[in-house]
Amino acid sequence: MTTAPAPARTTTAVVTGVGVAAPNGLGTQAWWQATLRGESGIRPITLFDADGYPARLAGEVPGFDAADHLPGRLLPQTDRMTRLALYAAAEAFQDAGADLAQLPEYGVGVVTASSAGGFEFGQRELQALWSQGGEYVSVYQSFAWFYAVNTGQISIRHQLRGPGSVVVSDDAGGLDAVAMARRRLRTGTPLMLTGGVDSALCPWGWTARLADGRLSDEDRPEAAYLPFSADARGHVAGEGGALLVLEDAASARERGAVGYGAITGYATAFDPAPGAGASGGLGRAAEGALADAGIEPEDIDAVFADAAGDPAADREEADTIRRIFGPYCVPVTAPKTMTGRLGAGGASLDLAAALFALRHQVLPPTVHTAAAPHHTLDLVCGKPLRTGLRHILVLARGRGGFNSAVVVSALD
């Protein structure tokens, strides 16, 4: 006799905690206030000597000394990426106000996204291998470089025994991780930590980024990353991101948690192969997310754009937004112009910004750029836009054809 699998629970996934490490602010409050003020964290690289490279600007998280936030025993075994993730995780759990010890033993899980793993740690240990020999390579190299290390270290530090996963889909990963955590809630896990934090600001990581030809070589921070502009010439890379505490709405209410908003829609789609004649993956992802949320295009009050900073990619995204919403029919913003593109951390930081926008009913601005007329975008530029917000669409694209979209909605 066969037994049908139990149907997934009907749940509403609400975000009750946010932790942020961003180039324009360490911690959620510092980051959000800087974002509303339009303060950029893009500046000349200091984490390594970049003078000999064609691109010399990045978004570095300011004022972060891992020794101030983590026990000394963790420092030799962690990459900067993981240290930033541990900071954001602790802040998110504290913000949520959840007593993890009171939850079921297997009731708290972690899903993170990473696009590069612990590149800086890996470079240092490979240099030791090449120059001195295998006996000089740290035993921690076995895991500190790995894509899943943030999930593992967060789970160990907070003694979490629930589901653990990692997503690798480049800049779309921050949304994909949240979607996977949402599915875990539907199968009975009451609380998940999710999102993405990335950092690969080291010579090895920088060389890899330069190889794809998409980094801006402009030395002026205010002119280097200009998505949707007629002067767009590439993007600026950065580090950091956001981690979110995701809970079933009923469980959150029972413990009196105050949510930021709900994850109501998600979809992902790959770009078609060249010459296949199919529609672009970004549009299919956006339409799928709206369908999953059960809403129409006219219900969306704002779009957080992927904002590649590449003329062809910007045109594709603008065409997608125009096709779904109409020309100038929805406010569009790209606060990542203040941070650079953060790999897997960028999309989850956009989600955090969308959630704060819902809570405060204000859209953060896009800085240093203006949309070229042919894009027909209502780009929020210069200063925040105070407006009624109920549903926000967040878009993200990663190299290799990844496209993802999430709808976040205000709580009733």
Side-chain angles (χ1 to χ4, degrees), residues 288-376:
L290 296 181
D292 186 35
I295 60 176
E296 300 298 327
E298 56 266 29
D299 296 317
I300 291 293
D301 300 305
V303 174
F304 278 65
D306 175 70
D310 171 80
D314 286 348
R315 182 171 59 251
E316 178 189 7
E317 184 172 25
D319 289 349
T320 296
I321 294 171
R322 180 173 59 251
R323 179 177 62 79
I324 295 174
F325 300 101
Y328 301 110
C329 282
V330 63
V332 177
T333 189
K336 58 169 62 76
T337 51
M338 296 175 241
T339 64
R341 295 181 65 84
L342 310 184
S348 56
L349 188 64
D350 275 350
L351 270 183
L355 290 161
F356 271 71
L358 288 173
R359 173 170 284 189
H360 299 286
Q361 294 293 285
V362 59
L363 282 175
T366 308
V367 303
H368 300 150
T369 190
H374 65 270
H375 287 318
T376 63

Side-chain angles (χ1 to χ4, degrees), residues 16 93 96-109 158-162 185 188-193 245-248 250-252 254-255:
T16 57
F93 281 133
D99 185 350
L100 302 182
Q102 297 302 312
L103 289 166
E105 183 179 5
Y106 297 95
V108 183
H158 295 279
Q159 301 180 43
L160 311 180
R161 303 185 68 186
L185 295 185
T189 304
L191 188 148
M192 294 290 297
L193 182 79
V245 173
L246 209 62
E247 293 187 66
D248 171 67
S251 299
E254 285 177 8
R255 68 178 189 85

Side-chain angles (χ1 to χ4, degrees), residues 121-138 141:
F121 197 106
Q123 174 180 327
R124 184 173 64 249
E125 299 310 316
L126 285 175
Q127 286 177 314
L129 173 65
W130 296 334
S131 63
Q132 298 173 279
E135 64 271 27
Y136 293 93
V137 176
S138 169
Q141 169 67 359

Side-chain angles (χ1 to χ4, degrees), residues 182 186 263-267 287-295:
R182 181 182 177 220
R186 290 175 170 176
I263 307 298
T264 54
Y266 164 79
E287 291 168 338
L290 296 181
D292 186 35
I295 60 176

